[in-house]
Amino acid sequence: MHDDDDAAPGQGYEGEEEEEEPQQQQHKKQSNTLTLWGNMKTMNLNSLLLTNIQSSTYFKVQLYELKTYHEVIDEIYYKVNHLEPWEKGSRKTAGQTGMCGGVRGVGTGGIVSTAYCVLYKLFTLRLTRKQLMGLINHTDSPYIRALGFMYVRYVLPPADLWSWFESYLEDPEEIDVKAGGGLVMTIGEMLRQWMSKLEWFSTLFPRIPVPVQKQLEEQLYRPAYQGGAVEHIPDEDVNWGEAERMSRIRSDERDHKPDERGRHRGGKAERDLAGSRHGSKSHDRSPEHSDRHRSVTAGTQSAEEEQKS
């Protein structure tokens, strides 16, 4: 009897452990599941951009064949070389004004970029937290990381942006985001821009609610901790957008370029100064010159008088 009684509790404990294990696995699965935000069908993309993605042969044929997360990462590594929504020179916005202009991302279409097609492919896979962390910490290509961060910006709650981006705001890895090249920024600069600006080339990121945007701006302006010391980030070292970036570059070039007008003015001033110095010297020599002139004149007059006599 005692053996049966002893066995019963042991069997009971084993049963309880077997029941708890699936619960623990379910809890881990839930914590690994990302909470998405916004439209679950459009990924919060501009309607024209989404239509071009879904109708793209690249997305419908080539990306359709990719079934796993790792296959998509390989595709990013080999195919993605910029982060614009449209391929270079394919988007025609001539004659479009107002809401139909290129800034708003509507109007005539173009060839949608590989980056945005792959981004939407990642959305269809419904990435887990672990997979997303694998993207943003990947070491093979900055474009793999960038599409991970872009996934965060498009589909995760805006209130979570700071927790995802904060650790990477000083990330020095460089990436050329422009189609055709020519606009290099660091990962940190790119993330700062994504939290402070809606515009991204010819499209828009999802709008951030005003209270959340204010919090992000306050946090962005706080002193950054780097190497254990408090360091203020100067405004000129922060990239707030493509237009602002280029404006700063042109401003710096103007500041360091010699002033042609000033140089001409300076040349004229130097010539005037030289002329004044020359005039003063001529003035200093003028008495001597007058004396010599009077001597020569007197000698000539004496010679003429002698001839007459």
Side-chain angles (χ1 to χ4, degrees), residues 10-299:
Q11 293 175 358
Y13 294 142
E14 291 177 1
E16 291 176 1
E17 290 177 358
E18 291 176 359
E19 290 178 359
E20 289 178 358
E21 186 174 353
Q23 293 178 358
Q24 292 175 356
Q25 292 178 352
Q26 183 179 4
H27 176 71
K28 290 180 180 179
K29 184 177 180 181
Q30 289 177 348
S31 63
N32 195 35
T33 301
L34 293 170
T35 301
L36 303 184
W37 172 82
N39 193 312
M40 295 298 100
K41 293 183 179 180
T42 67
M43 204 190 85
N44 305 312
L45 288 168
N46 171 275
S47 58
L48 177 67
L49 189 58
L50 178 63
T51 301
N52 277 265
I53 292 173
Q54 293 175 334
S55 61
S56 166
T57 302
Y58 174 67
F59 177 79
K60 292 190 298 182
V61 178
Q62 295 174 260
L63 291 184
Y64 178 78
E65 296 176 355
L66 305 182
K67 304 299 182 182
T68 68
Y69 162 79
H70 295 289
E71 289 177 330
V72 178
I73 288 181
D74 289 341
E75 186 73 7
I76 299 172
Y77 181 81
Y78 289 110
K79 297 292 182 64
V80 176
N81 54 23
H82 68 85
L83 298 178
E84 282 200 54
W86 307 97
E87 293 297 341
K88 181 181 179 180
S90 67
R91 182 164 167 74
K92 306 299 182 182
T93 57
Q96 302 292 334
T97 58
M99 289 296 291
C100 294
V103 174
R104 292 297 178 182
V106 296
T108 56
I111 300 175
V112 68
S113 70
T114 301
Y116 268 74
C117 286
V118 175
L119 178 64
Y120 190 70
K121 177 65 179 182
L122 290 171
F123 177 69
T124 64
L125 296 178
R126 293 298 193 270
L127 298 180
T128 64
R129 183 179 299 273
K130 183 178 179 180
Q131 289 174 333
L132 185 54
M133 290 297 296
L135 285 177
I136 64 179
N137 291 315
H138 212 283
T139 58
D140 288 351
S141 169
Y143 295 103
I144 297 175
R145 302 184 63 200
L147 285 182
F149 287 121
M150 192 172 283
Y151 188 93
V152 173
R153 182 62 181 87
Y154 269 104
V155 303
L156 297 191
D160 294 344
L161 287 179
W162 184 258
S163 63
W164 279 97
F165 288 174
E166 179 184 10
S167 300
Y168 305 93
L169 295 180
E170 303 297 329
D171 195 309
E173 184 172 12
E174 293 187 339
I175 181 171
D176 195 337
V177 298
K178 187 175 180 61
L183 184 56
V184 178
M185 60 179 66
T186 66
I187 293 290
E189 290 173 339
M190 182 181 70
L191 298 182
R192 290 173 184 273
Q193 178 170 330
W194 289 0
M195 285 193 291
S196 59
K197 299 289 183 181
L198 289 179
E199 295 83 3
W200 181 246
F201 292 99
S202 56
T203 190
L204 295 175
F205 283 123
R207 189 170 299 277
I208 299 175
V210 173
V212 176
Q213 185 66 62
K214 289 182 178 179
Q215 285 184 336
L216 289 175
E217 291 176 357
E218 291 174 359
Q219 290 166 317
L220 281 171
Y221 283 114
R222 289 188 315 177
Y225 288 88
Q226 187 175 15
V230 178
E231 180 180 347
H232 175 68
I233 303 174
D235 290 342
E236 60 270 15
D237 293 340
V238 179
N239 182 285
W240 298 109
E242 184 185 13
E244 289 83 352
R245 178 188 178 89
M246 298 310 296
S247 176
R248 291 179 187 276
I249 292 175
R250 288 193 294 269
S251 177
D252 291 341
E253 290 176 349
R254 286 195 299 268
D255 292 339
H256 291 86
K257 184 177 180 180
D259 189 346
E260 296 294 332
R261 293 174 298 176
R263 186 170 62 183
H264 292 320
R265 287 195 301 268
K268 184 177 184 301
E270 290 176 358
R271 290 194 300 271
D272 292 342
L273 179 60
S276 64
R277 290 175 179 172
H278 180 72
S280 63
K281 291 180 181 179
S282 300
H283 179 72
D284 292 339
R285 291 194 302 267
S286 60
E288 299 176 1
H289 178 73
S290 299
D291 292 339
R292 289 196 299 270
H293 180 70
R294 284 195 295 270
S295 299
V296 172
T297 304

